[in-house]
Amino acid sequence: MRDKIETIRLRLTACTLNDTDEFHGLFSDPLTHTIGAGPFTSRAETVDWLERRLKTKQEYGFVWYGIRHRDGGPLIGGCGILASRTGGLPLIAWRPNRERFGRGSSHAAAL
């Protein structure tokens, strides 16, 4: 998968550890991060999550992207391919920022 994808509206870039603070804002929000054990309570959890995405990228080529408006600005969500925990097919996942719910950003990124 490519490290950068652009649509008419969005710019998706492969996550790095430099994105930790912005992703932590997303994953620590109880209205945004409702799966698994729920919202992250520490920055270390976000670092661990991102490190696992980077390892998955190295092993399988699956990328987790940060989503921003095409002209720049703050992170408005994340999306990408995750390795299935059950060993089955890969999963497409997305996590929009709460302020972006219902605006079509996740749908546009998935296309």
Side-chain angles (χ1 to χ4, degrees):
M1 296 178 69
R2 297 180 286 168
D3 283 346
K4 183 178 175 183
I5 299 171
E6 290 190 0
T7 72
I8 294 170
R9 296 175 38 201
L10 304 173
R11 176 177 291 132
L12 287 67
T13 54
C15 70
T16 70
L17 291 178
N18 291 333
D19 301 317
T20 298
D21 290 334
E22 286 188 292
F23 274 110
H24 185 63
L26 189 66
F27 293 136
S28 64
D29 182 342
L31 295 177
T32 301
H33 196 68
T34 58
I35 61 169
F40 292 170
T41 57
S42 73
R43 190 176 185 279
E45 289 176 288
T46 302
V47 169
D48 180 60
W49 191 91
L50 288 170
E51 286 176 339
R52 284 182 284 142
R53 300 297 73 76
L54 295 171
K55 183 178 178 184
T56 299
K57 181 182 176 188
Q58 288 178 332
E59 291 179 4
Y60 303 106
F62 301 155
V63 177
W64 186 262
Y65 295 99
I67 306 170
R68 291 179 172 76
H69 289 286
R70 186 176 178 143
D71 58 355
L75 187 75
I76 60 172
C79 69
I81 306 289
L82 300 175
S84 171
R85 294 179 190 164
T86 63
L89 296 173
L91 305 170
I92 298 173
W94 57 91
R95 183 81 45 225
N97 183 307
R98 174 182 359 173
E99 289 81 29
R100 301 300 305 174
F101 286 177
R103 296 188 185 182
S105 299
S106 298
H107 182 260
L111 295 176

